[in-house]
Every structure is written in structure tokens, then in C-alpha cells.
């Protein structure tokens, strides 16, 4: 199927089948590099489903050819898996039962969902940046790393991180929904 | 152990695809399009009715095994009084919808599930004969190749004038990773009350194949030795239906029973997880512990076996606690 990207963007179900057929093994392989414990099995499934759901619902965020599409879906899988891994690590720090907060009010759930939706959009917007800026922005705004941590991971100076973030933010801030996320 | 900063160094260009099954692809597509693969799910009234079943209506063991299994009965009681298992069954089972009629009683196997260790079925009976006091059935389903190696229990409930529903689970005792599919036959024979009086009998007959639902297995092979006992934790199986710990050991089946106490590194204590053992030879048994509500955030579990030793009449029981072992789930 030569025109699968165009068909995917038109919500043609045969294109979705093609994408799952050709990229599920790749997305799962990436996810398993991060969520590698046998007991992570359900999280792997959740992550893989989330990746393809995002690709299906937001394929219009993708710009490029088939080779770029593989990189695009691969990056989404990698960062979603790391995000799930981080949430899992945080959940290990359990609260004593008497400190557990009361049930979440409905409006808080809505806010959580809204926040999670914005995070998905942010991921897709960042994916449109140049390759050199992409990982840096994903670490900063998708995974919430500090500038110091990013500098250490990318082996660059903290001021280089700040400089590149400043330039990239200008591009991302054109989207009013994301402006708040970038502050 | 890797940390998340190692994961950031993953070069996606270097990663090659892994094999995935047609079923996995179909599950992803169905998830996205919000079209369940199953056209039929366990009817809500069946689930609601099953949830309402009290401990008093719990069936126990097939007649052929009841004598050798009485000490385990109490575990089945706690096991079947849980809602969790039925919810997971409803979410993960496949349609069977096979009917068999005998002596004016229509019996139908509705849904079934096989997860590598457990086989569960939901079924219904339409009968004019009263079956209200049903407590035993003559035969549980048999699995090809495991005819003498499965055990289980069931529960049963009247839902209207002449309709009854049931839910049964049988446990396979494996020491090696389980087959990907099984062939199951079931000839229930007779249904009996607490006094073993036959309430209904017939030649209902079911035969079908079940594929294992997706899951993962972790090989452990960890030995717990304390003379004269030696147990081996063989492996763990994780599926959406249950988490199962498989073990084997040198036990005198007539006088020794083992139970495993399970906790995890997050402080969860799986007190309701039943241990079942199955005789392989007089001096060697295999067994399982089934956890329905395992916390998947745990990174390790702690297993403490207790050996219950008695004389053949079960008049005096002595308990011996073996050492606790830790199983690392990150392996």
C-alpha cells in the first residue's frame, strides 16, 4: 500500500490494518526494551494500544514519507513506554493507608483527562520539531526532566540545553493550547 | 538493573521487529475501532446472578477426587467467594455457546477461558426438575493429555423458574510451560445434593478446543531445602485472568500437604490465594498458587512454604515453616 499515510489521515480502516500489520512488531519490540519484566505484560499491551490509538486519531500530525513514519511511530512508542515506566516507579512509593486522599471529585477527573490529552498533543507537536531538538524537548516537557539532567544525558552543557529550549519553545508556543504547558 | 536514563539511550533505528500473532494484531485493531472481537459477552444477568452467589451454594470437588482433597476444600471456598475472578472471566473469555439436551434438560456451555493453568466455564441448565440443593457434580471437564491431572470446583445458582447457571474452574498442574491450546471434553453425568442423592442425570456431552489467552511466563527454578523436604519454585505465569506460581516437591501425598504464603515487596499479602497440590507419584507432587488480584507494581515476591504433616487418619497435624525465598520479578 503506497498511499497508506494519506489513507490513514482520511481514517480509512484498511490503512489502520496496514499500519498494525507492518508496525505492531516494531512498536512492541521498542516497548519491551523499556517494560521488560514479565509482570509488565499488561503495561506493554496498554502502551502498544495507546501508541496505535494516537496514530489513528492524530495521524494528521505526521508529515513525511514512509521511512519517516517508522521513525515517528518508533519515537512515540519509546517515549510513551518511558512515561509509563516513570509512572510505575512513582507508584512504588506507596502512602500509608491513613494518608490516602479521599475519592477524586468528578471535576478533578475531567482536569486529569484534559491534562493527559494536552500531554498527548504536546508529544505530537514536539515530534514535528527538527530531529536534533526532538529528544531534548521530549525529555523536558514530556518526561519532566530538569535542564541539568538533560545536559547530563545528552552530554552537553546546561547553557546549551537552555539555549536550544529557548529556540524550540518559540516554535511550539504558536499553539495556544500548548503555551501553558511550556511555561 | 537498568534505569530510565538507559532507556533514553535506546536507538530505535537499531531495533528490529518481533513476531506478533494475528490475534494480537486483531486485538489492537479492535481496541482502536471500539469493536469487541466477541460478538457475545456473558449476559449481565448471568454476571449479576453469579456475583450474588453466597458461600453456602459453593460446590466443591468432583466425587472422584473428593476423598484425597478434603484438606484443600477450604481454599476453594474462599476462592469462589471472590468477585474478581468472575469480572476477569467476563472480560477475557471466548464464546463457546454449545448446547446438549438429555432427559428433558437443556445444558449449554456459554463461555470459556484457558490461561495456561486454569480453565473456567460458564454454563446454564434449563430443567423442570428442582436442582436447588445441588452441591456436587459427578464429572468435571477433562483435558486431553491431563485426564488424571486436573482438579477444581464449581458454583451454581437458580436464576428463574426453571433456569440455573453455573461457573466452574479446573486447575491443571504443570511443571513445564503450558500448551498453547487444549482439547476439552465434558460429560457431567449426574448432579447431586449434599447427601449424594441424584437430582438429575443425563448424557450431556461437550467437546471443544480452547486457545491460551495471552500472557507471560518467568522461569524461576529456585529450590527451598529443609531436610527432609525439598521444594522447587518452577515458574510464574502472568495473564489477565490470574497470576500463578508453579512449584513441585518431594512430598508424601498421603500425609504431607504444602501451603505457600505469598507477600510482595509493596506489603501486599495474598492471603486468599489458594494452594493446590497434585499427586505425581506417592512421594512427588506438583502444585500451584493462584493469585487473582496480584499487584503488578511489585518487583519481587516472598514465598514462605508450610508443610502440614499428619497421620493417615488426619487426627493430628504438625506444621513446619520453611525458609522464605524472594523471587525477583525484574529478571
Amino acid at each position: 500500500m503506497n498511499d497508506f499515510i494519506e489513507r490513514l489521515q482520511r481514517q480509512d480502516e484498511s490503512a489502520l490494518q496496514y499500519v498494525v500489520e507492518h508496525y505492531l512488531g516494531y512498536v512492541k519490540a521498542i516497548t519491551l526494551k523499556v517494560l521488560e519484566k514479565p509482570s509488565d505484560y499488561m503495561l506493554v499491551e496498554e502502551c502498544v494500544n495507546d501508541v496505535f490509538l494516537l496514530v489513528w486519531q492524530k495521524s494528521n500530525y505526521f508529515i513525511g514519507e514512509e521511512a519517516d513514519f517508522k521513525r515517528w511511530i518508533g519515537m512515540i512508542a519509546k517515549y510513551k513506554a518511558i512515561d509509563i515506566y516513570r509512572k510505575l516507579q512513582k507508584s512504588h512509593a506507596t502512602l500509608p493507608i491513613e494518608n490516602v486522599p479521599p475519592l477524586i471529585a468528578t471535576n478533578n477527573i475531567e482536569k486529569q483527562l484534559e491534562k493527559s490529552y494536552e500531554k498527548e498533543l504536546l508529544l505530537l507537536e514536539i515530534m514535528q520539531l527538527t530531529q536534533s531538538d526532538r529528544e531534548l524537548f521530549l525529555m523536558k516537557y514530556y518526561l519532566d526532566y530538569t535542564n541539568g539532567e538533560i545536559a547530563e544525558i545528552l552530554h552537553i552543557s546546561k547553557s546549551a540545553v537552555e539555549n536550544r529550549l529557548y529556540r524550540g519553545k518559540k516554535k511550539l508556543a504558536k499553539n495556544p493550547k500548548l503555551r501553558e504547558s511550556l511555561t | 538493573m537498568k534505569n530510565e536514563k538507559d532507556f533514553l539511550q535506546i536507538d530505535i533505528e537499531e531495533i528490529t521487529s518481533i513476531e506478533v500473532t494475528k490475534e494480537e494484531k486483531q486485538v489492537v485493531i479492535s481496541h482502536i475501532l471500539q469493536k469487541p472481537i466477541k460478538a457475545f459477552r456473558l449476559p449481565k444477568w448471568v454476571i449479576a446472578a453469579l456475583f450474588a452467589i453466597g458461600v453456602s451454594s459453593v460446590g466443591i470437588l468432583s466425587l472422584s477426587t473428593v476423598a484425597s482433597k478434603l484438606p484443600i476444600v477450604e481454599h476453594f471456598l474462599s476462592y469462589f467467594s471472590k468477585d474478581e475472578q468472575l469480572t476477569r472471566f467476563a472480560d477475557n473469555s471466548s464464546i463457546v455457546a454449545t448446547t446438549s439436551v438429555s432427559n428433558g434438560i437443556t445444558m449449554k456451555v456459554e463461555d470459556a477461558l484457558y490461561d495456561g493453568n486454569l480453565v473456567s466455564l460458564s454454563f446454564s441448565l434449563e430443567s423442570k426438575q428442582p436442582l436447588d440443593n445441588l452441591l456436587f457434580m459427578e464429572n468435571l471437564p477433562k483435558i486431553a493429555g491431563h485426564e488424571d491431572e486436573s482438579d477444581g470446583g464449581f458454583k451454581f445458582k437458580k436464576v428463574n423458574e426453571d433456569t440455573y447457571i453455573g461457573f466452574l474452574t479446573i486447575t491443571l498442574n504443570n511443571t513445564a510451560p503450558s500448551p498453547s491450546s487444549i482439547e476439552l471434553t465434558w460429560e457431567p453425568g449426574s448432579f447431586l445434593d449434599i447427601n449424594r442423592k441424584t437430582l438429575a442425570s443425563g448424557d450431556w456431552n461437550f467437546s471443544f478446543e480452547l486457545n491460551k489467552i495471552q500472557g507471560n511466563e518467568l522461569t524461576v527454578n529456585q529450590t527451598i531445602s529443609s531436610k527432609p523436604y525439598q521444594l522447587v519454585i518452577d515458574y510464574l505465569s502472568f495473564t489477565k485472568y490470574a497470576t500463578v506460581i508453579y512449584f513441585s516437591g518431594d512430598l508424601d501425598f498421603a500425609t504431607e500437604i504444602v501451603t505457600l504464603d505469598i507477600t510482595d515487596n509493596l506489603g501486599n499479602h495474598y492471603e486468599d490465594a489458594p494452594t493446590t497440590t497434585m499427586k505425581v507419584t506417592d512421594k512427588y507432587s506438583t502444585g500451584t498458587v493462584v493469585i487473582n488480584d496480584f499487584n503488578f507494581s511489585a518487583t519481587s515476591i516472598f514465598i514462605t512454604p508450610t508443610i502440614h504433616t499428619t497421620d493417615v487418619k488426619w487426627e493430628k497435624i504438625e506444621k513446619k515453616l520453611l525458609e522464605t525465598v524472594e523471587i525477583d520479578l525484574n529478571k
Side-chain angles (χ1 to χ4, degrees):
Chain A
M1 193 186 283
N2 295 325
D3 57 346
F4 81 91
I5 293 165
E6 195 189 320
R7 289 168 73 164
L8 194 68
Q9 291 172 339
R10 287 202 314 260
Q11 298 277 285
D12 179 339
E13 289 183 13
S14 66
L16 172 66
Q17 283 179 351
Y18 176 89
V19 169
V20 171
E21 178 72 34
H22 287 80
Y23 295 100
L24 178 57
Y26 179 59
V27 165
K28 191 171 176 184
I30 293 169
T31 308
L32 283 168
K33 288 279 178 193
V34 178
L35 303 167
E36 53 190 0
K37 284 192 300 165
S39 57
D40 288 341
Y41 161 68
M42 277 191 258
L43 297 174
V44 172
E45 193 178 281
E46 181 189 318
C47 180
V48 167
N49 281 339
D50 281 356
V51 170
F52 282 96
L53 187 64
L54 193 63
V55 165
W56 172 243
Q57 291 178 341
K58 302 287 175 193
S59 56
N60 54 332
Y61 274 80
F62 172 74
I63 303 160
E65 303 298 321
E66 184 165 354
D68 304 314
F69 183 83
K70 187 177 179 184
R71 209 172 298 119
W72 187 67
I73 197 170
M75 285 286 281
I76 292 174
K78 174 179 162 180
Y79 277 88
K80 272 205 159 286
I82 296 174
D83 188 42
I84 289 173
Y85 177 88
R86 279 168 68 84
K87 282 179 190 157
L88 191 64
Q89 296 307 303
K90 283 178 189 167
S91 74
H92 285 173
T94 52
L95 285 169
I97 193 77
E98 64 269 23
N99 293 345
V100 173
L103 285 173
I104 303 167
T106 317
N107 59 346
N108 281 350
I109 294 172
E110 281 167 8
K111 276 182 191 162
Q112 285 292 325
L113 287 173
E114 205 175 300
K115 203 174 163 188
S116 141
Y117 178 72
E118 276 174 15
K119 195 170 176 180
E120 305 265 73
L121 283 185
L122 184 64
L123 171 65
L124 294 168
E125 288 281 352
I126 292 172
M127 295 295 288
Q128 291 183 340
L129 292 175
T130 57
Q131 203 172 333
S132 59
D133 284 340
R134 208 177 288 156
E135 298 236 17
L136 183 143
F137 270 77
L138 286 169
M139 285 182 214
K140 175 71 184 175
Y141 294 109
Y142 190 69
L143 298 178
D144 297 324
Y145 279 104
T146 64
N147 293 356
E149 286 173 314
I150 297 170
E152 192 189 323
I153 294 163
L154 295 179
H155 306 294
I156 55 176
S157 69
K158 199 175 160 190
S159 58
V161 171
E162 284 160 1
N163 190 29
R164 279 167 61 181
L165 284 173
Y166 175 75
R167 281 188 279 123
K169 267 167 83 171
K170 279 187 175 174
K171 294 178 204 167
L172 288 172
K174 285 174 194 163
N175 183 333
K177 278 187 183 172
L178 296 175
R179 203 171 292 141
E180 208 176 307
S181 311
L182 298 171
T183 53
Chain B
M1 188 183 156
K2 286 182 186 171
N3 65 42
E4 63 190 64
K5 288 179 186 163
D6 294 322
F7 300 141
L8 287 164
Q9 307 298 336
I10 293 170
D11 182 357
I12 57 167
E13 309 274 344
E14 296 290 317
I15 292 178
T16 49
S17 278
I18 56 169
E19 292 251 338
V20 285
T21 62
K22 275 185 184 172
E23 288 76 20
E24 279 182 83
K25 290 172 189 168
Q26 195 53 48
V27 165
V28 172
I29 291 169
S30 300
H31 171 81
I32 292 168
L33 299 178
Q34 301 288 305
K35 287 177 188 166
I37 296 170
K38 289 197 295 178
F40 169 87
R41 290 173 64 80
L42 196 65
K44 282 203 165 56
W45 65 270
V46 173
I47 297 172
L50 286 170
F51 280 6
I53 296 171
V55 172
S56 62
S57 64
V58 172
I60 309 172
L61 299 168
S62 62
L63 292 178
S64 58
T65 55
V66 73
S68 64
K69 291 292 173 186
L70 272 173
I72 309 297
V73 165
E74 58 184 316
H75 294 297
F76 278 100
L77 292 174
S78 60
Y79 180 37
F80 278 136
S81 60
K82 286 266 179 195
D83 296 358
E84 182 77 12
Q85 187 194 25
L86 290 165
T87 308
R88 291 185 188 210
F89 177 79
D91 287 344
N92 296 292
S93 55
S94 311
I95 315 156
V96 177
T98 306
T99 302
S100 180
V101 182
S102 181
N103 290 337
I105 299 175
T106 302
M107 190 168 178
K108 185 176 177 189
V109 174
E110 302 278 1
D111 278 349
L113 182 152
Y114 161 58
D115 83 339
N117 175 66
L118 306 172
V119 181
S120 292
L121 305 179
S122 61
F123 61 95
S124 61
L125 275 113
E126 280 181 43
S127 169
K128 298 289 180 196
Q129 298 169 238
L131 299 174
D132 299 0
N133 297 317
L134 188 151
L135 193 60
F136 294 106
M137 68 170 76
E138 189 181 357
N139 301 314
L140 286 169
K142 289 190 184 302
I143 293 150
H146 295 260
E147 283 83 355
D148 299 318
E149 299 166 23
S150 56
D151 206 346
F154 75 102
K155 54 188 172 187
F156 198 72
K157 170 90 177 167
K158 182 175 184 173
V159 290
N160 63 37
E161 187 71 13
D162 52 8
T163 307
Y164 300 78
I165 56 163
F167 178 76
L168 68 80
T169 292
I170 52 178
T171 309
L172 275 73
N173 282 54
N174 300 305
T175 50
S178 48
S180 58
S181 67
I182 51 165
E183 284 176 30
L184 183 145
T185 55
W186 188 23
E187 295 175 14
S190 300
F191 294 97
L192 307 100
D193 68 11
I194 195 164
N195 300 313
R196 310 287 166 84
K197 184 186 156 205
T198 300
L199 298 170
S201 62
D203 56 2
W204 305 283
N205 193 322
F206 301 95
S207 179
F208 49 91
E209 190 177 333
L210 287 173
N211 291 323
K212 185 161 81 169
I213 60 169
Q214 279 186 297
N216 262 354
E217 283 167 352
L218 172 68
T219 303
V220 179
N221 283 334
Q222 191 157 340
T223 302
I224 307 168
S225 236
S226 175
K227 281 186 179 178
Y229 306 110
Q230 181 164 306
L231 288 180
V232 179
I233 307 299
D234 295 306
Y235 67 101
L236 272 63
S237 150
F238 305 91
T239 70
K240 282 185 172 179
Y241 194 41
T243 294
V244 184
I245 299 164
Y246 294 79
F247 65 92
S248 53
D250 300 324
L251 295 164
D252 180 345
F253 195 76
T255 59
E256 291 164 349
I257 279 187
V258 64
T259 53
L260 304 188
D261 186 64
I262 314 294
T263 57
D264 67 26
N265 63 315
L266 303 179
N268 298 301
H269 188 190
Y270 301 103
E271 291 175 283
D272 295 329
T275 306
T276 57
T277 49
M278 182 62 61
K279 176 172 146 181
V280 178
T281 68
D282 286 346
K283 303 287 181 192
Y284 181 76
S285 298
T286 60
T288 56
V289 179
V290 178
I291 304 171
N292 284 309
D293 54 352
F294 185 67
N295 184 333
F296 286 96
S297 296
T299 54
S300 64
I301 57 167
F302 301 90
I303 302 177
T304 310
T306 303
I307 308 284
H308 308 255
T309 312
T310 180
D311 55 23
V312 287
K313 290 184 181 170
W314 287 89
E315 286 172 347
K316 188 181 167 193
I317 298 177
E318 284 177 10
K319 291 183 183 179
K320 181 174 181 181
L321 211 63
L322 305 192
E323 62 169 315
T324 299
V325 291
E326 181 177 5
I327 308 290
D328 180 5
L329 304 181
N330 284 323
K331 280 199 295 186

